[in-house]
Amino acid sequence: MKITQIADYSLPAQGGLPPTQNMVYEELMRRPDEVFEYQGEELIRTFPRMKRSALNWSLWLLAKTGHIGKLRVRVDGRLTTVYGAHEAILALKERVGLDN
């Protein structure tokens, strides 16, 4: 393998995101007024060629590393986890009356 074939994101010092996580991150940043349910259909429709497991794993990792926000809320009477831009999560917290 040629050195030029190694993507920048795979070099720890570069601090970039892997391609799948980067796609998901960019989509969430384009939609700062929306949150997306874990295992939900909306993001799957946005990325029809992506496996559900890859999308869910990306959401989890992005939240774990602090790139996006995560919140447990009740949706239609059931407790679920939602992910979104930090701005969206803060707006949702305010809406449902949760303290930061």
Side-chain angles (χ1 to χ4, degrees):
M1 168 185 317
K2 292 186 179 187
I3 293 173
T4 57
Q5 291 176 311
I6 299 174
D8 289 340
Y9 74 84
S10 65
L11 304 174
Q14 299 295 321
L17 293 171
T20 303
Q21 288 179 44
N22 193 50
M23 286 188 326
V24 173
Y25 175 78
E26 286 179 356
E27 184 63 27
L28 293 180
M29 294 306 109
R30 277 194 287 272
R31 299 162 80 172
D33 60 338
E34 296 181 67
V35 293
F36 301 93
E37 227 178 318
Y38 182 76
Q39 298 283 352
E41 295 298 320
E42 193 167 352
L43 279 179
I44 288 291
R45 285 191 295 265
T46 303
F47 303 107
R49 298 181 68 198
M50 188 182 298
K51 289 184 178 181
R52 182 181 298 274
S53 60
L55 176 58
N56 291 328
W57 182 247
S58 294
L59 288 169
W60 183 83
L61 278 172
L62 287 167
K64 182 171 174 56
T65 57
H67 287 89
I68 63 172
K70 169 182 162 182
L71 184 64
R72 298 268 300 162
V73 294
R74 288 210 178 272
V75 176
D76 296 329
R78 65 184 177 86
L79 194 58
T80 189
T81 301
V82 293
Y83 295 89
H86 291 292
E87 180 181 335
I89 296 296
L90 288 174
L92 179 58
K93 283 181 177 181
E94 286 177 13
R95 182 165 176 85
V96 297
L98 294 175
D99 293 330
N100 293 336

XYZ file of all heavy atoms in Angstrom:
806
model
N 0.834 -1.158 0.000
C 0.000 0.000 0.000
C 0.891 1.238 0.000
O 1.865 1.311 0.738
C -0.886 -0.032 1.264
C -1.599 1.242 1.521
S -2.558 1.313 3.064
C -3.368 -0.247 3.124
N 0.522 2.203 -0.818
C 1.270 3.452 -0.873
C 0.875 4.336 0.298
O -0.266 4.325 0.752
C 0.980 4.178 -2.184
C 1.539 3.462 -3.388
C 1.336 4.298 -4.626
C 1.933 3.558 -5.809
N 1.931 4.371 -7.001
N 1.820 5.114 0.775
C 1.569 6.004 1.904
C 0.434 6.970 1.579
O -0.378 7.297 2.441
C 2.862 6.760 2.286
C 3.875 5.769 2.847
C 2.579 7.875 3.276
C 5.229 6.358 3.106
N 0.325 7.393 0.353
C -0.723 8.345 -0.028
C -2.114 7.728 0.033
O -3.101 8.452 0.028
C -0.461 8.891 -1.446
O -0.396 7.785 -2.351
C 0.816 9.695 -1.490
N -2.210 6.406 0.098
C -3.510 5.755 0.173
C -4.068 5.741 1.594
O -5.234 5.443 1.796
C -3.423 4.309 -0.330
C -3.179 4.212 -1.815
C -3.000 2.766 -2.238
O -2.240 2.021 -1.637
N -3.731 2.386 -3.276
N -3.243 6.050 2.572
C -3.698 6.070 3.954
C -4.412 7.389 4.184
O -3.832 8.463 4.034
C -2.520 5.894 4.928
C -1.839 4.555 4.685
C -2.995 6.017 6.372
C -0.582 4.349 5.488
N -5.674 7.296 4.533
C -6.482 8.499 4.721
C -6.000 9.272 5.941
O -5.552 8.693 6.925
C -7.946 8.115 4.883
N -6.136 10.592 5.878
C -5.722 11.454 6.983
C -6.438 11.096 8.276
O -5.871 11.193 9.351
C -5.997 12.918 6.657
C -5.052 13.445 5.586
O -3.984 12.834 5.379
O -5.392 14.457 4.967
N -7.717 10.703 8.183
C -8.461 10.429 9.404
C -7.880 9.268 10.186
O -8.092 9.153 11.382
C -9.946 10.160 9.101
C -10.198 8.813 8.473
C -10.321 7.669 9.260
C -10.323 8.683 7.093
C -10.535 6.434 8.685
C -10.537 7.458 6.528
C -10.657 6.330 7.317
O -10.872 5.121 6.752
N -7.145 8.377 9.533
C -6.605 7.218 10.240
C -5.333 7.548 11.009
O -4.824 6.723 11.740
C -6.341 6.071 9.264
O -5.329 6.421 8.351
N -4.840 8.747 10.839
C -3.657 9.185 11.571
C -4.111 9.899 12.836
O -4.722 10.958 12.763
C -2.808 10.117 10.697
C -2.375 9.527 9.349
C -1.674 10.589 8.516
C -1.478 8.332 9.560
N -3.857 9.348 14.014
C -4.372 9.920 15.255
C -4.021 11.391 15.472
O -4.807 12.140 16.012
C -3.741 9.053 16.343
C -3.266 7.824 15.670
C -3.046 8.172 14.229
N -2.868 11.799 15.038
C -2.449 13.185 15.264
C -3.307 14.177 14.471
O -3.402 15.337 14.820
C -0.980 13.352 14.891
N -3.945 13.724 13.402
C -4.741 14.612 12.566
C -6.067 14.991 13.221
O -6.614 16.043 12.967
C -5.020 13.969 11.196
C -3.776 13.661 10.394
C -3.034 14.905 9.992
O -3.636 15.916 9.644
N -1.717 14.862 10.041
N -6.617 14.097 14.065
C -7.845 14.405 14.788
C -9.104 14.405 13.955
O -10.138 14.843 14.415
N -9.065 13.919 12.741
C -10.246 13.890 11.899
C -11.174 12.735 12.233
O -10.870 11.890 13.066
N -12.321 12.713 11.579
C -13.296 11.647 11.767
C -13.227 10.663 10.603
O -12.955 11.072 9.472
C -14.708 12.236 11.823
C -15.044 13.102 13.023
C -16.391 13.778 12.809
C -15.058 12.273 14.284
N -13.529 9.399 10.857
C -13.642 8.439 9.755
C -14.768 8.871 8.812
O -15.677 9.610 9.219
C -13.992 7.126 10.461
C -13.530 7.300 11.858
C -13.676 8.765 12.162
N -14.736 8.425 7.561
C -15.702 8.891 6.555
C -17.167 8.735 6.962
O -17.967 9.651 6.783
C -15.390 8.054 5.324
C -13.982 7.619 5.492
C -13.752 7.519 6.971
N -17.545 7.596 7.509
C -18.947 7.377 7.874
C -19.369 8.335 8.980
O -20.414 8.979 8.894
C -19.175 5.920 8.319
O -18.773 5.058 7.255
C -20.625 5.665 8.659
N -18.550 8.462 10.004
C -18.870 9.386 11.092
C -18.907 10.826 10.589
O -19.754 11.609 11.000
C -17.848 9.268 12.217
C -17.968 7.997 13.013
C -16.922 7.931 14.093
O -16.675 8.905 14.794
N -16.297 6.772 14.231
N -18.006 11.154 9.696
C -17.969 12.508 9.151
C -19.244 12.828 8.379
O -19.795 13.926 8.510
C -16.738 12.693 8.271
C -16.499 14.138 7.941
O -16.482 14.990 8.821
N -16.343 14.430 6.665
N -19.744 11.877 7.590
C -20.993 12.092 6.842
C -22.157 12.338 7.797
O -22.961 13.245 7.588
C -21.316 10.886 5.951
C -20.461 10.767 4.722
S -20.976 9.476 3.562
C -21.631 8.183 4.564
N -22.251 11.520 8.831
C -23.334 11.658 9.799
C -23.203 12.989 10.543
O -24.181 13.724 10.704
C -23.347 10.461 10.783
C -24.353 10.681 11.890
C -23.628 9.169 10.034
N -22.000 13.303 10.974
C -21.747 14.557 11.688
C -22.155 15.762 10.824
O -22.860 16.668 11.303
C -20.266 14.647 12.066
C -19.886 15.956 12.697
C -20.186 16.209 14.028
C -19.239 16.949 11.962
C -19.850 17.422 14.621
C -18.901 18.156 12.539
C -19.211 18.386 13.865
O -18.876 19.591 14.437
N -21.739 15.791 9.581
C -22.072 16.912 8.698
C -23.580 17.039 8.505
O -24.114 18.151 8.470
C -21.355 16.768 7.354
C -19.877 17.066 7.450
C -19.141 16.895 6.122
O -19.772 16.474 5.124
O -17.936 17.162 6.106
N -24.274 15.915 8.393
C -25.730 15.953 8.229
C -26.395 16.535 9.479
O -27.295 17.362 9.382
C -26.276 14.556 7.946
C -27.760 14.518 7.675
C -28.182 15.283 6.431
O -27.378 15.441 5.490
O -29.349 15.729 6.404
N -25.943 16.127 10.648
C -26.522 16.656 11.879
C -26.229 18.151 12.035
O -27.071 18.904 12.531
C -25.998 15.893 13.091
C -26.424 14.430 13.198
C -25.847 13.797 14.447
C -27.915 14.261 13.158
N -25.060 18.584 11.607
C -24.716 20.006 11.700
C -25.542 20.841 10.716
O -25.803 22.019 10.962
C -23.224 20.235 11.446
C -22.317 19.641 12.515
S -22.696 20.165 14.191
C -23.371 18.668 14.900
N -25.964 20.238 9.603
C -26.824 20.939 8.645
C -28.252 21.074 9.169
O -29.038 21.851 8.633
C -26.869 20.188 7.310
C -25.711 20.479 6.393
C -25.986 19.978 4.987
N -25.915 18.536 4.893
C -24.815 17.830 4.653
N -23.681 18.448 4.463
N -24.847 16.526 4.575
N -28.596 20.283 10.185
C -29.958 20.262 10.702
C -29.950 20.533 12.213
O -30.331 19.686 13.006
C -30.574 18.905 10.387
C -30.629 18.677 8.867
C -30.813 17.245 8.486
N -32.191 16.818 8.582
C -32.624 15.641 8.148
N -31.803 14.788 7.585
N -33.883 15.313 8.293
N -29.532 21.745 12.612
C -29.373 22.043 14.035
C -30.686 22.191 14.799
O -30.675 22.372 16.011
C -28.587 23.356 14.036
C -28.994 24.011 12.770
C -29.169 22.879 11.771
N -31.814 22.122 14.100
C -33.108 22.243 14.769
C -33.841 20.905 14.845
O -35.036 20.853 15.111
C -33.975 23.276 14.044
C -34.240 22.899 12.597
O -33.455 22.104 12.028
O -35.221 23.401 12.027
N -33.118 19.801 14.621
C -33.729 18.477 14.648
C -32.896 17.526 15.499
O -31.680 17.654 15.582
C -33.802 17.878 13.236
C -34.685 18.633 12.278
C -34.709 17.968 10.916
O -35.243 16.852 10.821
O -34.179 18.564 9.971
N -33.587 16.556 16.104
C -32.917 15.455 16.780
C -33.369 14.172 16.107
O -34.437 14.126 15.487
C -33.215 15.416 18.301
C -32.598 16.605 18.989
C -34.688 15.308 18.591
N -32.561 13.134 16.238
C -32.825 11.888 15.541
C -32.786 10.727 16.515
O -31.853 10.592 17.302
C -31.794 11.691 14.419
C -31.826 12.815 13.437
C -30.992 13.899 13.590
C -32.721 12.809 12.390
C -31.022 14.962 12.711
C -32.773 13.871 11.500
C -31.924 14.942 11.654
N -33.819 9.908 16.430
C -33.960 8.779 17.324
C -32.954 7.681 16.997
O -32.681 7.399 15.827
C -35.371 8.192 17.134
C -36.089 7.931 18.393
C -37.481 7.401 18.149
O -38.189 7.900 17.258
O -37.847 6.474 18.877
N -32.414 7.078 18.048
C -31.575 5.892 17.875
C -32.470 4.818 17.282
O -33.595 4.635 17.719
C -31.030 5.456 19.243
C -30.113 4.266 19.180
C -28.820 4.413 18.724
C -30.541 3.012 19.579
C -27.960 3.327 18.670
C -29.702 1.923 19.525
C -28.408 2.086 19.071
O -27.565 1.017 19.014
N -32.006 4.152 16.269
C -32.772 3.133 15.534
C -33.916 3.749 14.737
O -34.819 3.043 14.308
C -33.325 2.053 16.472
C -32.303 1.264 17.218
C -31.619 0.204 16.378
O -31.984 -0.066 15.241
N -30.596 -0.393 16.937
N -33.896 5.070 14.542
C -34.972 5.743 13.820
C -34.813 5.613 12.310
O -33.767 5.236 11.793
N -35.888 5.930 11.621
C -35.926 5.777 10.160
C -35.459 7.009 9.395
O -35.038 6.889 8.250
C -37.355 5.430 9.715
C -37.837 4.092 10.218
C -36.996 2.934 9.689
O -36.606 2.958 8.504
O -36.734 2.018 10.474
N -35.531 8.176 10.006
C -35.263 9.404 9.255
C -33.841 9.475 8.708
O -33.630 9.806 7.548
C -35.567 10.621 10.113
C -35.611 11.880 9.288
C -36.205 13.039 10.046
O -36.733 12.847 11.159
O -36.137 14.144 9.517
N -32.851 9.175 9.535
C -31.470 9.214 9.040
C -31.185 8.064 8.080
O -30.387 8.211 7.161
C -30.471 9.208 10.195
C -30.220 10.556 10.860
C -29.230 10.417 11.996
C -29.735 11.598 9.871
N -31.843 6.943 8.286
C -31.666 5.819 7.348
C -32.127 6.241 5.952
O -31.500 5.907 4.953
C -32.441 4.569 7.826
C -31.751 3.959 9.039
C -32.590 3.534 6.725
C -30.406 3.326 8.747
N -33.218 7.001 5.882
C -33.685 7.486 4.568
C -32.698 8.488 3.971
O -32.566 8.594 2.759
C -35.068 8.107 4.700
C -36.166 7.076 4.854
C -37.539 7.713 4.719
N -37.822 8.644 5.790
C -38.476 8.354 6.900
N -38.920 7.136 7.097
N -38.694 9.273 7.812
N -31.998 9.227 4.826
C -31.002 10.182 4.350
C -29.790 9.467 3.768
O -29.187 9.936 2.806
C -30.558 11.113 5.501
O -31.710 11.760 6.035
C -29.581 12.155 5.024
N -29.430 8.335 4.372
C -28.279 7.539 3.929
C -28.752 6.135 3.542
O -28.485 5.166 4.258
C -27.229 7.423 5.041
C -26.719 8.735 5.547
C -27.083 9.214 6.790
C -25.855 9.495 4.771
C -26.602 10.423 7.268
C -25.369 10.701 5.236
C -25.742 11.171 6.478
N -29.445 5.988 2.420
C -30.058 4.694 2.092
C -29.057 3.559 1.871
O -29.410 2.386 2.031
C -30.850 4.979 0.817
C -30.219 6.197 0.228
C -29.684 6.987 1.391
N -27.833 3.855 1.541
C -26.850 2.795 1.283
C -26.069 2.404 2.530
O -25.297 1.464 2.509
C -25.895 3.239 0.178
C -26.652 3.487 -1.143
C -25.759 3.896 -2.250
N -24.903 2.761 -2.600
C -23.793 2.860 -3.290
N -23.392 4.034 -3.712
N -23.078 1.808 -3.556
N -26.290 3.125 3.628
C -25.566 2.852 4.859
C -26.322 1.801 5.680
O -27.549 1.856 5.788
C -25.417 4.137 5.683
C -24.517 3.983 6.890
S -24.389 5.499 7.889
C -23.664 6.639 6.735
N -25.591 0.881 6.240
C -26.215 -0.111 7.111
C -26.690 0.570 8.388
O -26.049 1.476 8.892
C -25.220 -1.211 7.482
C -24.869 -2.119 6.348
C -23.963 -3.223 6.848
C -23.636 -4.177 5.734
N -22.771 -5.270 6.215
N -27.806 0.091 8.898
C -28.366 0.644 10.127
C -27.356 0.565 11.275
O -27.200 1.492 12.060
C -29.652 -0.088 10.500
C -30.325 0.460 11.733
C -31.583 -0.316 12.074
N -32.579 -0.252 11.033
C -33.486 0.708 10.908
N -33.505 1.691 11.783
N -34.366 0.691 9.942
N -26.642 -0.548 11.353
C -25.671 -0.718 12.439
C -24.536 0.299 12.328
O -24.075 0.828 13.342
C -25.111 -2.144 12.448
O -24.470 -2.432 11.224
N -24.094 0.597 11.119
C -23.028 1.589 10.927
C -23.509 2.982 11.328
O -22.773 3.752 11.953
C -22.556 1.589 9.475
N -24.746 3.299 10.996
C -25.311 4.595 11.354
C -25.445 4.718 12.872
O -25.027 5.713 13.462
C -26.668 4.794 10.693
C -27.409 6.063 11.060
C -26.588 7.296 10.722
C -28.746 6.107 10.384
N -25.999 3.699 13.514
C -26.185 3.746 14.961
C -24.849 3.785 15.698
O -24.691 4.499 16.688
C -27.035 2.566 15.432
C -28.465 2.694 14.958
O -28.990 3.792 14.826
N -29.095 1.583 14.675
N -23.893 3.024 15.217
C -22.556 3.029 15.818
C -21.923 4.411 15.673
O -21.298 4.920 16.599
C -21.706 1.948 15.161
C -20.329 1.813 15.708
C -19.162 2.089 15.058
C -19.946 1.362 17.014
N -18.090 1.838 15.884
C -18.542 1.387 17.082
C -20.662 0.938 18.121
C -17.841 1.013 18.230
C -19.956 0.567 19.259
C -18.562 0.603 19.297
N -22.092 5.029 14.518
C -21.544 6.369 14.290
C -22.164 7.387 15.231
O -21.467 8.223 15.804
C -21.767 6.795 12.838
O -21.013 5.986 11.969
N -23.484 7.321 15.413
C -24.155 8.236 16.338
C -23.602 8.059 17.750
O -23.292 9.033 18.433
C -25.669 7.988 16.335
C -26.423 8.445 15.095
C -27.845 7.909 15.119
C -26.418 9.956 14.981
N -23.476 6.814 18.175
C -22.988 6.532 19.515
C -21.567 7.059 19.703
O -21.264 7.709 20.708
C -23.056 5.023 19.776
C -22.637 4.664 21.158
C -23.406 4.694 22.287
C -21.330 4.242 21.566
N -22.653 4.309 23.367
C -21.377 4.024 22.969
C -20.140 4.020 20.894
C -20.270 3.600 23.687
C -19.037 3.600 21.623
C -19.106 3.394 23.002
N -20.689 6.782 18.727
C -19.301 7.234 18.842
C -19.185 8.755 18.808
O -18.392 9.346 19.548
C -18.448 6.632 17.723
C -17.961 5.216 17.951
C -17.292 4.679 16.689
C -17.003 5.150 19.115
N -19.967 9.393 17.950
C -19.930 10.855 17.884
C -20.375 11.469 19.203
O -19.805 12.465 19.658
C -20.798 11.360 16.733
C -20.236 11.143 15.336
C -21.309 11.382 14.276
C -19.028 12.024 15.092
N -21.373 10.884 19.834
C -21.818 11.386 21.139
C -20.774 11.101 22.214
O -20.498 11.952 23.063
C -23.159 10.761 21.510
N -20.187 9.920 22.170
C -19.180 9.543 23.168
C -17.963 10.462 23.108
O -17.394 10.816 24.137
C -18.758 8.096 22.951
C -17.748 7.599 23.976
C -17.532 6.112 23.835
C -16.460 5.580 24.713
N -16.571 5.824 26.110
N -17.580 10.872 21.911
C -16.413 11.741 21.752
C -16.763 13.226 21.886
O -15.896 14.082 21.748
C -15.719 11.496 20.397
O -16.663 11.707 19.344
C -15.152 10.088 20.323
N -18.042 13.531 22.107
C -18.449 14.914 22.338
C -18.712 15.733 21.092
O -18.928 16.937 21.181
N -18.726 15.098 19.925
C -18.982 15.841 18.694
C -20.454 16.236 18.564
O -20.781 17.258 17.974
C -18.571 15.015 17.471
C -17.094 14.913 17.316
N -16.349 13.921 17.895
C -16.215 15.710 16.667
C -15.079 14.095 17.599
N -14.964 15.183 16.858
N -21.357 15.393 19.070
C -22.790 15.668 19.025
C -23.360 15.435 20.420
O -22.693 14.901 21.303
C -23.524 14.794 17.988
C -23.433 13.307 18.354
C -22.999 15.064 16.581
C -24.296 12.393 17.489
N -24.629 15.809 20.596
C -25.291 15.610 21.876
C -26.205 14.397 21.856
O -26.592 13.898 20.800
N -26.566 13.959 23.056
C -27.408 12.773 23.234
C -28.320 13.038 24.420
O -27.899 13.648 25.405
C -26.496 11.582 23.488
C -27.143 10.330 23.947
C -26.058 9.279 24.198
C -26.569 8.166 25.060
N -25.540 7.169 25.346
N -29.569 12.569 24.332
C -30.520 12.790 25.410
C -31.542 11.664 25.426
O -31.974 11.203 24.372
C -31.232 14.133 25.203
C -32.197 14.598 26.278
C -31.471 14.854 27.601
C -32.913 15.860 25.822
N -31.917 11.212 26.633
C -32.987 10.220 26.794
C -34.276 10.982 27.071
O -34.342 11.767 28.018
C -32.684 9.267 27.942
C -31.442 8.452 27.774
C -31.602 7.124 27.146
N -32.486 6.243 27.897
C -33.036 5.174 27.351
N -32.795 4.867 26.110
N -33.833 4.411 28.045
N -35.286 10.764 26.260
C -36.577 11.437 26.403
C -37.707 10.457 26.102
O -37.478 9.404 25.512
C -36.704 12.663 25.462
C -35.737 13.755 25.837
C -36.525 12.269 24.020
N -38.902 10.849 26.484
C -40.079 10.060 26.130
C -40.631 10.571 24.811
O -40.902 11.749 24.648
C -41.162 10.164 27.199
C -40.808 9.421 28.432
C -42.038 8.908 29.155
N -41.609 8.165 30.320
C -41.310 6.864 30.310
N -41.433 6.176 29.203
N -40.906 6.260 31.404
N -40.814 9.661 23.874
C -41.399 9.974 22.575
C -42.557 9.011 22.386
O -42.368 7.789 22.428
C -40.366 9.807 21.424
C -41.025 10.044 20.075
C -39.189 10.739 21.627
N -43.751 9.554 22.199
C -44.961 8.735 22.053
C -45.105 7.736 23.196
O -45.434 6.568 22.997
C -44.962 8.004 20.706
C -45.008 8.963 19.529
O -45.607 10.044 19.683
O -44.449 8.636 18.472
N -44.798 8.181 24.407
C -44.988 7.362 25.583
C -43.885 6.369 25.904
O -43.951 5.648 26.890
N -42.852 6.309 25.086
C -41.771 5.364 25.382
C -40.449 6.110 25.487
O -40.210 7.095 24.797
C -41.691 4.249 24.341
C -41.335 4.693 22.959
C -41.373 3.511 21.970
N -41.104 3.986 20.645
C -39.900 4.145 20.125
N -38.846 3.840 20.817
N -39.748 4.595 18.903
N -39.592 5.607 26.369
C -38.291 6.210 26.585
C -37.357 5.832 25.439
O -37.253 4.655 25.079
C -37.713 5.721 27.914
C -36.525 6.479 28.479
C -36.859 7.944 28.694
C -36.081 5.847 29.778
N -36.731 6.831 24.854
C -35.828 6.582 23.732
C -34.641 7.544 23.814
O -34.680 8.532 24.529
C -36.553 6.733 22.379
O -35.697 6.290 21.336
C -36.970 8.165 22.110
N -33.607 7.236 23.074
C -32.422 8.087 23.000
C -32.467 8.851 21.685
O -32.728 8.269 20.633
C -31.133 7.233 23.057
O -31.144 6.485 24.279
C -29.899 8.097 23.007
N -32.211 10.147 21.775
C -32.127 10.967 20.569
C -30.743 11.604 20.499
O -30.104 11.855 21.513
C -33.225 12.052 20.517
C -34.600 11.433 20.365
C -33.172 12.973 21.710
N -30.301 11.834 19.279
C -29.001 12.446 19.011
C -29.209 13.675 18.145
O -30.152 13.744 17.357
C -28.097 11.465 18.254
C -27.723 10.245 19.033
C -28.511 9.105 19.008
C -26.569 10.221 19.801
C -28.162 7.975 19.729
C -26.207 9.100 20.524
C -27.008 7.982 20.480
O -26.657 6.860 21.203
N -28.302 14.633 18.263
C -28.379 15.817 17.422
C -27.222 16.756 17.705
O -26.382 16.495 18.577
N -27.213 17.842 16.968
C -26.216 18.884 17.210
C -26.413 19.380 18.644
O -27.511 19.310 19.188
C -26.410 20.026 16.215
N -25.352 19.863 19.262
C -25.455 20.356 20.640
C -26.554 21.406 20.763
O -27.295 21.432 21.751
C -24.115 20.920 21.110
C -23.071 19.866 21.292
N -23.147 18.912 22.270
C -21.929 19.605 20.608
C -22.103 18.103 22.197
N -21.347 18.506 21.192
N -26.679 22.243 19.759
C -27.706 23.282 19.741
C -29.103 22.661 19.806
O -29.981 23.132 20.536
C -27.538 24.104 18.460
C -28.503 25.221 18.276
C -28.262 25.956 16.957
O -27.139 25.921 16.436
O -29.223 26.559 16.467
N -29.322 21.592 19.062
C -30.625 20.921 19.048
C -30.927 20.262 20.391
O -32.054 20.329 20.888
C -30.663 19.880 17.931
N -29.927 19.638 20.991
C -30.126 18.980 22.282
C -30.445 20.019 23.362
O -31.332 19.812 24.195
C -28.892 18.128 22.660
C -28.704 16.971 21.648
C -29.002 17.612 24.079
C -29.828 15.956 21.620
N -29.745 21.143 23.347
C -30.028 22.207 24.317
C -31.449 22.748 24.146
O -32.157 22.982 25.132
C -29.010 23.341 24.192
C -27.611 23.032 24.705
C -26.657 24.188 24.394
C -27.631 22.741 26.191
N -31.876 22.943 22.899
C -33.232 23.431 22.634
C -34.268 22.423 23.117
O -35.297 22.803 23.690
C -33.404 23.715 21.142
N -34.010 21.145 22.923
C -34.933 20.105 23.380
C -34.996 20.070 24.909
O -36.075 19.955 25.482
C -34.516 18.743 22.836
C -35.382 17.561 23.250
C -36.842 17.769 22.827
C -34.843 16.266 22.662
N -33.849 20.211 25.566
C -33.832 20.255 27.030
C -34.673 21.408 27.553
O -35.428 21.264 28.507
C -32.398 20.378 27.553
C -31.612 19.095 27.510
C -30.226 19.326 28.080
C -29.430 18.042 28.124
N -28.085 18.260 28.701
N -34.541 22.564 26.915
C -35.334 23.723 27.325
C -36.817 23.460 27.110
O -37.637 23.787 27.957
C -34.911 24.966 26.539
C -33.587 25.536 26.963
C -33.171 26.725 26.121
O -34.007 27.266 25.364
O -31.986 27.096 26.204
N -37.148 22.840 25.995
C -38.544 22.567 25.660
C -39.211 21.626 26.642
O -40.370 21.814 26.995
C -38.650 22.031 24.243
C -40.063 21.759 23.808
C -40.139 21.593 22.313
N -41.462 21.229 21.886
C -42.446 22.099 21.656
N -42.225 23.382 21.834
N -43.623 21.694 21.259
N -38.477 20.596 27.071
C -39.069 19.628 27.990
C -38.803 19.982 29.450
O -39.207 19.247 30.346
C -38.595 18.178 27.680
C -39.041 17.753 26.307
C -37.105 18.027 27.844
N -38.120 21.094 29.681
C -37.916 21.590 31.031
C -36.825 20.884 31.820
O -36.891 20.830 33.041
N -35.822 20.370 31.155
C -34.691 19.740 31.840
C -33.594 20.770 32.079
O -33.335 21.623 31.237
C -34.103 18.601 31.002
C -34.991 17.386 30.787
C -34.329 16.408 29.843
C -35.303 16.716 32.111
N -32.961 20.661 33.233
C -31.816 21.535 33.513
C -30.594 20.964 32.799
O -30.478 19.771 32.604
C -31.528 21.603 35.017
C -32.660 22.308 35.751
O -33.305 23.177 35.147
O -32.883 21.966 36.924
N -29.662 21.850 32.464
C -28.423 21.391 31.804
C -27.641 20.663 32.791
O -26.886 20.150 33.137
C -27.657 22.569 31.226
C -28.424 23.198 30.100
O -29.255 22.560 29.462
N -28.166 24.454 29.846
